[in-house]
Amino acid sequence: LNLTPFSIADYRRFVRQLAELAQQTDRGIVLAEFLVEALRQQRIIMPPIDVVERVCSEALTRGTREVYEALTAPLSDHQRCALDGLLMVCEETKGSGLIWLRQSPGPPKPKHVLIHLERLKTVHDLLLPDGLERVIHQNRLLKLAREGGQMTAQHLRDLEPDRRYATLVAMILDTRATLIDENIDLHDRFMGALFSKAKR
């Protein structure tokens, strides 16, 4: 039948291939389906299910590490310290700087516009490398940002460094985009109210 058995060389080769796919998605079923289809196309005998699971698990771990590395490698020590500073609790607000950055803007009043602009300035002052949002797949970036948004500052501080900084970078990139959109919306609503008032 021109079939070949699944060898240790195949194991290593498919882990490398799937690790590239794992940088786009962390869904195990997607990796498994890709592996099964590749085995069929290359006429390799299907290994036991636990071997398929190990290939996908190792590939996912390797792909996730590469995602973390891509987001953290360009960071300087100063930028890492600044990111850690966002997790420190401020005595005045009793919350972390990260929580303050991610607060909703409130009604379209001048003081709220200024506060929200200050948040955006704080993000820009981190001086994250340009194009960092394009070094990994958008799906993984958004997933990281969502995961970070569900964690407390204490939980984020307890993460191992690469994961912590990668998660913080994803959250800051997502927050920056949100802040820009919200500031534009605040401006539009404020100007609309002024025009309505002037018209009356």
Side-chain angles (χ1 to χ4, degrees):
L1 298 173
N2 293 321
L3 298 175
T4 57
F6 186 85
S7 66
I8 188 65
D10 293 320
Y11 182 98
R12 293 170 179 153
R13 178 166 57 88
F14 282 117
V15 166
R16 287 195 300 271
Q17 288 181 11
L18 289 177
E20 296 179 8
L21 180 60
Q23 294 179 50
Q24 302 175 28
T25 179
D26 61 351
R27 294 182 59 210
I29 187 64
V30 174
L31 302 183
E33 288 173 348
F34 180 90
L35 175 59
V36 169
E37 185 58 31
L39 290 170
R40 285 174 177 161
Q41 290 179 358
Q42 298 175 34
R43 304 186 70 78
I44 297 173
I45 297 173
M46 185 77 65
I49 188 65
D50 62 319
V51 176
V52 172
E53 290 176 349
R54 284 205 305 272
V55 171
C56 294
S57 178
E58 188 173 332
L60 185 56
T61 300
R62 187 178 298 188
T64 300
R65 285 179 184 158
E66 289 171 358
V67 166
Y68 295 163
E69 174 69 17
L71 287 173
T72 58
L75 298 177
S76 66
D77 290 340
H78 176 73
Q79 289 163 337
R80 291 170 191 260
C81 287
L83 289 171
D84 282 333
L86 293 175
L87 300 178
M88 304 305 294
V89 176
C90 177
E91 292 187 3
E92 295 179 4
T93 61
K94 303 301 181 184
S96 66
L98 191 61
I99 291 175
W100 176 74
L101 286 178
R102 295 170 67 84
Q103 285 180 349
S104 60
K109 296 181 179 179
K111 68 174 184 177
H112 294 142
V113 174
L114 292 174
I115 292 172
H116 225 48
L117 286 172
E118 184 63 27
R119 291 187 178 105
L120 186 58
K121 182 180 183 300
T122 301
V123 169
H124 281 298
D125 287 345
L126 293 172
L127 299 175
L128 293 181
D130 291 335
L132 202 54
E133 67 275 8
R134 294 189 293 274
V135 298
I136 67 170
H137 197 276
Q138 194 71 13
N139 289 342
R140 292 306 301 268
L141 191 66
L142 292 174
K143 180 82 182 299
L144 262 180
R146 280 198 304 270
E147 287 176 354
Q150 295 169 355
M151 298 179 189
T152 64
Q154 178 63 48
H155 191 176
L156 286 166
R157 281 197 297 270
D158 292 342
L159 297 177
E160 56 96 12
D162 277 352
R163 185 181 176 189
R164 180 172 74 249
Y165 292 126
T167 303
L168 285 171
V169 165
M171 292 177 70
I172 292 301
L173 293 174
D174 182 62
T175 300
R176 182 175 65 186
T178 301
L179 285 171
I180 291 172
D181 289 344
E182 288 177 345
N183 272 304
I184 292 171
D185 182 59
L186 276 176
H187 175 267
D188 288 347
R189 288 161 61 198
F190 181 62
M191 294 303 294
L194 282 179
F195 279 120
S196 297
K197 186 177 179 181
K199 187 175 180 180
R200 287 195 300 271

